[in-house]
Amino acid sequence: YQRLPTWHGWQELLSLVTLAVAGRGAVRPPPAELAGVAHTALRLPMPPMDVSATAIRRHLAGGGSALALAPAMVPAGVAGYIDRHPLYAARPA
């Protein structure tokens, strides 16, 4: 949620969906860019988890297998799908 304004087309996305926001720690206010854009965001109540999507993508882009990640990071069914369809494989420059 904090980095959503860095996404391509994020303003259009906000006009189409209700966001579900799951935090990994302290509740932070939305970024200033989001404050000026009408949208709906629901905070999902869940315990903090020490999982970083960036770290997972970096692992996969480096050739690592999703199945090698801890089940708490990526459930087995999701890991199998990622490995069958190399979703985060490094792309040639």
Side-chain angles (χ1 to χ4, degrees):
Y1 191 52
Q2 295 297 313
R3 298 197 56 210
L4 185 65
T6 66
W7 293 16
H8 173 77
W10 66 272
Q11 295 96 334
E12 181 181 4
L13 177 66
L14 291 178
S15 71
L16 299 172
V17 303
T18 296
L19 294 176
V21 180
R24 284 185 285 174
V27 175
R28 299 188 318 197
E33 298 92 338
L34 290 176
V37 179
H39 70 285
T40 303
L42 303 174
R43 184 163 299 276
L44 301 177
M46 59 187 301
M49 298 175 64
D50 190 22
V51 175
S52 165
T54 301
I56 292 170
R57 287 191 302 271
R58 188 175 298 127
H59 168 81
L60 297 170
S65 166
L67 291 169
L69 296 169
M73 294 181 80
V74 179
V78 173
Y81 184 89
I82 290 170
D83 283 347
R84 283 190 307 278
H85 310 275
L87 301 179
Y88 301 99
R91 295 192 171 105

